[in-house]
Amino acid sequence: MFYGITDITTFVLGTIFIVLLPGPNSLYVMTVASRWGVAAGYRGACGIFLGDLILMILSATGAASLLQATPALFMGLRYAGAAYLVWLGIGLLRAGLRTWRGEADAAAPVEPPRDASHPFRVALLISLMNPKAILFFVSFFIQFVSPGYDHPELSFLILGVIVQFFSALYLSALIFGGTRLAEVFRRRRRLSAGATGGVGGLFIGFGLRLAGAGMG
């Protein structure tokens, strides 16, 4: 046992697998990087890091288990998150349609968002309103801490650092990959429009799937 962690190898492997699964968090960060550059992409990534940190703290203190014990509260969070993802998707679809029609010039330099904190705030909301992330930290994250260890806060700190480390590596790869894609998109207007609309469709799909799962 390593500082109260029952099976650190299994936790690391499980974390890598879960981080690599595509989802709205990573998709948003890559989209932001492709539209506004590396700096904006990392602002979005910082929103994800903070959101995950908050969920980790809630899980470690036991507050997040309240969501499991209160189905109505969990359902409300699920539907709010689904609606937010659909709203983001519709916005991306509209942006793709404007580019397709030539209302936005894909070859022109991409202007950064007027509000520099915009990617951070949106990414933070996406992270906090994702019930799957909450369940990950409640059901997977905490089961690797031995209940008999004298300093469980140290165990949670180590596990949290591991999660954030692999998340940072993955999001960095997406950010730099997104900026390279942006160079291609700026030369091909319709390709840019199709990619933006496709990402918007994926966000809508994530939202509808999330809402549909709540109805089951």
Side-chain angles (χ1 to χ4, degrees):
M1 188 168 61
F2 178 75
Y3 291 102
I5 301 172
T6 57
D7 190 345
I8 192 169
T9 301
T10 299
F11 179 81
V12 169
L13 294 176
T15 297
I16 293 173
F17 176 75
I18 292 171
V19 166
L20 291 177
L21 287 177
N25 290 355
S26 56
L27 195 59
Y28 177 74
V29 169
M30 184 176 70
T31 302
V32 165
S34 67
R35 296 181 68 185
W36 295 319
V38 171
Y42 272 109
R43 284 196 292 272
C46 286
I48 302 299
F49 298 150
L50 178 58
D52 286 347
L53 176 61
I54 292 173
L55 293 179
M56 289 179 207
I57 293 174
L58 290 174
S59 299
T61 58
S65 61
L66 175 65
L67 294 173
Q68 290 183 314
T70 312
L73 180 60
F74 185 78
M75 283 293 103
L77 178 65
R78 181 188 295 274
Y79 290 130
Y84 188 63
L85 290 177
V86 170
W87 179 77
L88 287 175
I90 292 173
L92 288 170
L93 284 176
R94 293 175 61 185
L97 184 60
R98 288 196 300 269
T99 302
W100 185 274
R101 291 174 175 174
E103 299 174 14
D105 187 0
V110 179
E111 294 294 332
R114 293 182 181 179
D115 181 359
S117 67
H118 173 72
F120 175 84
R121 289 186 287 106
V122 173
L124 176 61
L125 283 174
I126 292 175
S127 179
L128 292 177
M129 299 179 75
N130 186 354
K132 290 184 178 179
I134 295 172
L135 288 177
F136 162 69
F137 288 114
V138 171
S139 63
F140 179 79
F141 186 69
I142 64 175
Q143 68 175 293
F144 288 90
V145 177
S146 173
Y149 187 61
D150 293 335
H151 302 286
E153 66 279 0
L154 179 59
S155 305
F156 284 115
L157 176 62
I158 294 172
L159 295 179
V161 169
I162 291 173
V163 172
Q164 297 286 41
F165 172 75
F166 286 109
S167 179
L169 287 181
Y170 180 54
L171 291 180
S172 294
L174 293 180
I175 287 169
F176 286 101
T179 54
R180 291 188 179 183
L181 286 175
E183 297 176 1
V184 177
F185 291 157
R186 290 184 190 121
R187 295 191 295 267
R188 301 181 181 182
R189 177 172 58 85
R190 294 203 166 185
L191 178 61
S192 174
T196 302
V199 172
L202 287 175
F203 268 95
I204 293 174
F206 281 130
L208 294 178
R209 184 177 180 182
L210 188 59
M215 297 177 183

